[in-house]
């Protein structure tokens, strides 16, 4: 295990979470690093969107690694890359893609438990095999678990927590370093998962949801901002352009 991977893993502390303001290119990486980041994380939605592409592995893998190389060239911080579903049709192919990320210098990856364009999660055994192939490369694997995606935590929280923890145990056995549970803002569910998960828990910060401080109190070990920084930047840009084209001066 390289020093960068070891250092990155050590940043995942329940109750004192690593905060990741996700970036999309070398320029945004420099800006976030200069603001005081402890690590740099790409978000696949923003990376693809910045190139006019769609999320869901529509951004070619060669471009993914070219973008990663440019990011690594401008920061000495640990860099974790969003590899979506692993860019591989089977575990062996996933292992090849993830090994490339590690060899390029990435400290970690984010990987999903459903395939591009699919709404259903992979069967646990199939997802576990893909995570094992990724973890066997030695890189830090943030295992995304989409159990809460499109579901109602208020009504089905207990069942969804149980399903998440079942997958957490399987992904931990596969060698994952952390568990990413996006689309979840319910404090009771977050707290229950943090308390029982064998892996440190990563939560996607959401507007109107628990604050960073509250997520820390619930036992979260990593907080991601996902596509939100890119989306906010694009909304600001479009708004400023609209002001100019309508005859006003921009705010900058």
């Amino acid at each position: 295990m390289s020093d960068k991977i070891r250092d990155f893993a050590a940043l995942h502390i329940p109750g004192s979470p690593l905060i990741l303001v996700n970036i999309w290119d070398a320029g945004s990486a420099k800006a976030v690093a200069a603001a005081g980041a402890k690590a740099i994380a790409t978000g696949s939605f923003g990376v693809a969107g910045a190139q006019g592409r769609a999320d869901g592995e529509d951004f070619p893998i060669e471009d993914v690694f070219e973008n990663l190389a440019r990011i690594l060239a401008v920061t000495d911080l640990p860099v974790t890359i969003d590899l979506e579903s692993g860019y591989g049709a089977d575990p062996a192919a996933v292992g090849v893609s993830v090994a490339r990320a590690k060899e390029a210098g990435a400290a970690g990856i984010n990987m999903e438990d459903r395939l591009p364009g699919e709404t259903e999660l992979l069967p646990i055994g199939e997802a576990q095999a893909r995570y094992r192939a990724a973890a066997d490369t030695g890189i830090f694997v943030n295992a995304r678990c989409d159990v809460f995606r499109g579901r109602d935590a208020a009504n089905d929280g207990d069942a969804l927590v149980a399903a998440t923890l079942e997958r957490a145990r399987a992904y931990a056995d596969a060698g994952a370093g952390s568990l990413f549970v996006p689309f979840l803002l319910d404090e009771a569910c977050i707290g229950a998962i943090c308390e029982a998960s064998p892996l440190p828990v990563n939560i996607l910060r959401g507007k109107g949801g628990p604050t960073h401080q509250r997520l820390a109190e619930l036992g979260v070990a990593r907080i991601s901002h996902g596509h939100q920084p890119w989306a906010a930047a694009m909304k600001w840009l479009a708004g400023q352009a609209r002001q100019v084209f309508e005859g006003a001066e921009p705010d900058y």
Side-chain angles (χ1 to χ4, degrees):
M1 184 184 293
S2 73
D3 289 343
K4 283 282 177 67
I5 296 172
R6 189 177 297 107
D7 291 347
F8 182 63
L11 293 171
H12 294 70
I13 304 170
S16 182
L18 168 64
I19 298 176
L20 297 171
V21 178
N22 297 75
I23 58 90
W24 52 93
D25 60 11
S28 55
K30 287 184 71 173
V32 169
K38 294 181 179 179
I40 297 296
T42 68
S44 63
F45 193 102
V47 169
Q51 300 301 320
R53 306 298 289 259
D55 199 22
E57 297 188 11
D58 180 57
F59 194 52
I61 192 168
E62 295 304 324
D63 293 340
V64 170
F65 288 116
E66 285 181 14
N67 193 48
L68 172 61
R70 289 191 289 269
I71 292 166
L72 289 166
V74 300
T75 182
D76 290 326
L77 293 172
V79 174
T80 183
I81 182 173
D82 188 344
L83 273 187
E84 304 200 53
S85 300
Y87 279 85
D90 54 39
V94 167
V96 170
S97 296
V98 176
R100 284 188 64 184
K102 179 175 181 286
E103 290 163 8
I109 64 154
N110 186 76
M111 199 172 108
E112 302 171 14
D113 56 0
R114 60 187 177 87
L115 297 179
E118 299 292 331
T119 57
E120 293 298 319
L121 274 63
L122 289 164
I124 291 179
E126 196 172 331
Q128 184 185 47
R130 293 170 69 87
Y131 283 128
R132 180 173 289 114
D136 282 350
T137 68
I139 207 167
F140 185 94
V141 176
N142 188 37
R144 175 167 152 173
C145 178
D146 273 358
V147 165
F148 280 86
R149 184 174 182 267
R151 303 295 297 274
D152 184 357
N155 290 324
D156 303 322
D158 290 347
L160 295 173
V161 167
T164 298
L165 291 173
E166 181 182 11
R167 286 182 176 262
R169 290 186 286 271
Y171 301 166
D173 288 344
S178 59
L179 178 74
F180 182 29
V181 189
F183 316 114
L184 172 59
L185 300 179
D186 183 272
E187 292 192 10
C189 291
I190 292 171
I193 291 169
C194 289
E195 183 176 356
S197 173
L199 295 170
V201 176
N202 177 193
I203 293 295
L204 178 67
R205 175 261 178 201
K207 190 172 183 179
T211 63
H212 292 88
Q213 180 59 43
R214 182 58 182 145
L215 288 171
E217 292 169 355
L218 291 168
V220 172
R222 171 170 166 172
I223 302 170
S224 298
H225 284 220
H227 80 287
Q228 296 166 100
W230 176 82
M234 294 304 101
K235 182 178 180 180
W236 180 88
L237 176 61
Q240 293 300 299
R242 190 175 301 110
Q243 282 183 213
V244 171
F245 297 145
E246 291 175 351
E249 293 298 313
D251 295 335
Y252 52 81

